[in-house]
C-alpha cells in the first residue's frame, strides 16, 4: 500500500470520527463487511475507488480535494 493510500485512509478515518460514526456503523452504510472496512482504515488493504467515492459522499467530502490533501500529506511524509 502506498503512502498516498494510507493518507486517504487517514483522512476518511478522521472525518468518520468527526461525524461521530463508529467503524461498524460506517461499514454498514458503505455496505462493506466491518472487518474489511477496518483493514481499509488501518491501511492494510487498498480501499476500492467505489468505496472511496461512497465514503466521500457519506461524509460530504469532495473526492478531488480529498485526493489533493492526501497527495500533500504523502509528499510531506516522504521528505
Amino acid at each position: 500500500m502506498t503512502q498516498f493510500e494510507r493518507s486517504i485512509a487517514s483522512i476518511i478515518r478522521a472525518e468518520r470520527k468527526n461525524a461521530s460514526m463508529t467503524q461498524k456503523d460506517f461499514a454498514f452504510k458503505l455496505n462493506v463487511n466491518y472487518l474489511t472496512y477496518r483493514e481499509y482504515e488501518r491501511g492494510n488493504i487498498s480501499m476500492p475507488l467505489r468505496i472511496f467515492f461512497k465514503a466521500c459522499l457519506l461524509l460530504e467530502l469532495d473526492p478531488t480535494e480529498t485526493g489533493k490533501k492526501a497527495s500533500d500529506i504523502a509528499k510531506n511524509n516522504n521528505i
Side-chain angles (χ1 to χ4, degrees), residues 5-68:
E5 291 170 307
R6 285 186 187 92
S7 298
I8 289 283
S10 177
I11 292 166
I12 298 293
R13 178 179 53 249
E15 293 297 328
R16 173 190 57 78
K17 287 181 177 182
N18 285 342
S20 301
M21 278 190 268
T22 66
Q23 284 183 332
K24 284 185 179 182
D25 292 338
F26 200 56
F28 179 79
K29 289 179 183 227
L30 291 171
N31 197 30
V32 173
N33 179 283
Y34 157 69
L35 296 175
T36 302
Y37 180 74
R38 183 179 70 184
E39 294 303 302
Y40 295 153
E41 272 200 9
R42 289 181 175 177
N44 293 331
I45 58 175
S46 296
M47 183 181 295
L49 277 176
R50 74 174 178 80
I51 300 299
F52 167 71
F53 282 112
K54 193 169 183 181
C56 286
L57 180 67
L58 289 170
L59 296 169
E60 299 180 359
L61 300 173
D62 179 291
T64 303
E65 290 302 315
T66 302
K68 287 179 185 177

